[in-house]
Amino acid sequence: MAGAAAVASLAAVAAGWLDLDGSSSSSTTTNLLLGWWWSSGSGVEAVLREAWDAARAAAVAPTLAAASWVLLALSAMLLADAVFLAAASLLAPRRRMSAAAAAEDEEEEGDEEAGGRDVGGCYPMVLVQIPMYNEREVYKLSIGAACGLAWPSDRVIVQVLDDSTDPTIKDMVELECKFWANKGKNVKYEVRNNRKGYKAGALKQGMLYDYVQQCDFVAVFDADFQPEPDFLLRTVPYLVHNPRIALVQARWEFVNPNEFLMTRIQKMTLDYHFKVEQEAGSSAFAFFGFNGTAGVWRISSIKEAGGWEDRTTVEDMDLAVRACLKGWKFIYVGDVKVKSELPSNLKAYRRQQHRWTCGAANLFRKTGAEIILTKEVSFWRKLYLIYSFFFIRKVVAHVVPFMLYCVVIPLSVLIPEVTVPLWGVVYVPTTITLIYAIRNPSSLHFIPFWILFENVMSFHRTKATFIGLLELGSVNEWVVTEKLGNSNGTKPVPQILEKPPSRSWDRWTMSEILVAIFLFFCATYNLVYGGDFYFVYIYLQAITFLIVGTGFCGTSSSNL
């Protein structure tokens, strides 16, 4: 209550400065409150008001108005791209059926959709790479699943690339590899003397061993991924029958989506990514970003693209872009799913999102000119890469939600000269939300929570985007996402919010709390002096920032 009163008092003070309606009640309230600092007859108030009037008219209002229209234009572009992706993804199954029918009738060789049948009794040599780093909780899951793949044991090599720095964990991983080797599986346990290049460095080093030269394809799984036994049987045929295909990407499935509200929201976001973005890219342009795991590569395409690079924190996307520029095609198979674990720790999730967002923006900076100048791909594929894949989805999609809905709109309630049109405040975000919701019908009741939480995360993604574009200090920061090894995906009592078991201030994020205070101030001002109902949304967004900022979200961990 004391905090609310303080915010209301501040809003009342601000009314005298920001809302120049000349009303006697506003002036009286302001004079009473300003009495704390100066006498009403001193003239200081009049001087400061006059200075604020001049600054607002000359700079503040025009700048805010310009920012609002730029962000509204970007939001319209974001909507257009979402409509395009939704349409392409919805038409993808029909296109696949037509391609499959044509393949049966004409037996056209090289059709990128003609695979997925079988390997014709001839099993190519496959390398399965599992990079890991101090994965105490999940190493058995991934190694066991890889060794359980339904593929002749003499035609598959399971390569465990262990960069662990904890000697106890290294010993445990090595013992697990020996356990499966004693069962007749071809398991190779490989370590490095350093972690240069992180995951990319480990994968690159793994490709240099002599025994890899006999392999045609390589499947990559992160340490928490558990492929079904038929994974290779359902993915490798696409590569066998179609020599122009470089990558077959499977869909992620999650073992813990119902653990917390945070994991439910993550599932909604990733389901949209796979069902819409990956499906559309595969169908329309035979290109999408490799997800770093649950995919099978043609080794010759990796070599032609220049191998794994560690110049960004998204080595998977980097390789995919370079392979695309060499003319290789990709295919996404959404009916093949691989189990994995969603981050249930908020700090781990923030760091994961920073790595993904910052790395993608930095890759855009590094490859933009190369994409434009390349002559090996069509104009339309280059346009898709530059505009839709990078600019809209790796920059605009992160910046607009925070800057428009958490900065410009709240500020507009303080500056009466600036009015954000209704279509930008309501119609565009509602349409985008409905496009998301259509592909997640079972999660419709979580949409309001999803919007509010994603706006909070867009705050961190916005920072990460500019760090990547400008190559600032933490551009190459790499922190492995914490896994808890939850293989059954359930908890005794699913929680909406998780109360921190430790001291609350140890989990506070002051930047989020400061944004919450700003939003509470704007909402209170709008409630008292505004003529609209923006305060309803702004209050809800402020509460969400406060909940996340004080750590009442996800689990806690002593490791973070």
Side-chain angles (χ1 to χ4, degrees), residues 230-248:
D230 63 351
F231 176 84
L232 294 179
L233 292 173
R234 300 178 66 186
T235 54
V236 171
Y238 288 97
L239 297 160
V240 170
H241 294 292
N242 303 280
R244 298 188 64 190
I245 294 292
L247 167 67
V248 179

Side-chain angles (χ1 to χ4, degrees), residues 100 103-104 108 113-120 233-234 237-238 241-242:
E104 289 182 10
E108 293 179 347
E113 302 286 1
R117 296 185 291 263
D118 55 54
V119 291
L233 292 173
R234 300 178 66 186
Y238 288 97
H241 294 292
N242 303 280

